Amino acid sequence: MQEFAVIFDFNGTMLFDTQIQYHAWDKLAKETLGHGIDQEEFLRSVNGRTSHETVEYFWGNRLCVEQKQALIDQKRKNYKEYCLTHPEEFRLADGIPEVLDLLKQRDIPFTIATSSNPQSVDFYFEYLNLGKWFRREHIVCSDKNFPGKPAPDIYRYAARDLGIAPQNCIVVEDAIAGAYAARGADIGYIVIIDPEMSGFVWVGDQVDYIIHDYKQFYELLCNIMHAYEIEK
């Protein structure tokens, strides 16, 4: 029986926080640039990328390291404040616990590969009960010092850490930059979650399947387990 594994992006994928991210960056821009950020441009150009890349995109690359870090620190503060005051938005996506329970019960390797910084990952573990399914030290995040998506490094590292060939891994993403990263890493199957049915991405060279909720992904996993002869 051939093994397969599942690698989840986190922000916008397991936690539908794209609007929270936008709110935090938009607030920072209003505070420091005197104007907000266009939401469509944010989604198209920097969603799924690292904070440093986002700062360079909207604030330019003439800032010194200390200035960039100060902006990032303030954005993270904005983000956390919003999360803790809007618990109805700051929660795992519907259906994710059931999917993770299924993977754990069937001994299918799985992990998170996220562009988030280690402090943010700690924050998610503290407030979203991720320790039920994951060991913190196994989460792949920006402390590995690889370039942000669409560079493929993060998914190559995650597959290697799981001990599964990239071709036998499923990546679940929400951003097209993440899909390009996964394809560049030779990931075998790429799933995009699009809960709003926005149509911002389509099945093609980079994407194999689009889901609108995790009930669909649960069913997809059951079909894959059947193909791999894993008892359900």
Side-chain angles (χ1 to χ4, degrees):
M1 180 182 65
Q2 193 178 31
E3 285 188 295
F4 77 95
V6 182
I7 304 171
F8 294 92
D9 175 48
F10 190 75
N11 300 93
T13 301
M14 298 178 70
L15 169 67
F16 293 157
D17 69 339
T18 302
Q19 287 300 317
I20 302 176
Q21 294 282 354
Y22 171 72
H23 171 87
W25 284 112
D26 185 60
K27 181 179 179 182
L28 180 66
K30 290 174 180 175
E31 293 167 341
T32 60
L33 297 176
H35 60 80
I37 290 173
D38 180 76
Q39 187 170 10
E40 183 177 342
E41 183 178 10
F42 174 82
L43 295 174
R44 182 181 65 252
S45 302
V46 298
N47 187 31
R49 296 178 182 265
T50 66
S51 294
H52 285 275
E53 290 169 330
T54 302
V55 167
E56 289 188 356
Y57 183 87
F58 287 111
W59 279 262
N61 58 8
R62 296 182 180 180
L63 300 177
C64 67
V65 173
E66 291 77 12
Q67 289 172 317
K68 290 179 182 178
Q69 191 58 52
L71 289 171
I72 291 169
D73 290 343
Q74 184 58 46
K75 177 267 173 180
R76 291 172 181 167
K77 181 180 178 181
N78 293 346
Y79 177 89
K80 290 179 180 180
E81 286 178 352
Y82 191 95
C83 287
L84 296 179
T85 55
H86 295 78
E88 72 283 358
E89 296 181 49
F90 182 54
R91 60 185 182 84
L92 292 178
D94 292 340
I96 274 288
E98 291 79 5
V99 166
L100 298 178
D101 286 343
L102 176 67
L103 293 171
K104 189 173 182 179
Q105 290 163 6
R106 302 299 179 247
D107 293 323
I108 297 170
F110 62 99
T111 193
I112 292 171
T114 174
S115 300
S116 291
N117 64 88
Q119 294 77 20
S120 293
V121 174
D122 292 341
F123 177 71
Y124 299 137
F125 264 77
E126 180 178 359
Y127 289 99
L128 296 175
N129 195 30
L130 294 181
K132 179 179 178 181
W133 303 283
F134 301 94
R135 292 180 62 178
R136 169 64 185 87
E137 62 267 27
H138 291 168
I139 300 302
V140 182
C141 62
S142 66
D143 61 347
K144 306 302 181 186
N145 294 319
F146 36 63
K149 304 168 187 176
D153 305 58
I154 187 170
Y155 286 124
R156 287 175 179 163
Y157 188 98
R160 185 169 64 248
D161 197 46
L162 289 171
I164 304 294
Q167 296 86 349
N168 292 331
C169 291
I170 302 166
V171 158
V172 187
E173 264 283 355
D174 74 304
I176 192 63
Y180 273 96
R183 188 61 72 201
D186 295 323
I187 295 297
Y189 202 79
I190 300 169
V191 177
I192 286 282
I193 183 159
D194 182 14
E196 303 299 325
M197 301 178 65
S198 64
F200 76 100
V201 68
W202 54 90
V203 173
D205 291 339
Q206 310 305 322
V207 177
D208 297 295
Y209 199 74
I210 297 174
I211 57 174
H212 304 308
D213 57 44
Y214 281 100
K215 180 180 179 181
Q216 284 184 287
F217 188 63
Y218 189 100
E219 294 170 352
L220 176 64
L221 275 178
C222 289
N223 290 334
I224 292 172
M225 286 191 298
H226 179 73
Y228 277 80
E229 299 179 351
I230 298 173
E231 183 181 353
K232 289 178 274 193

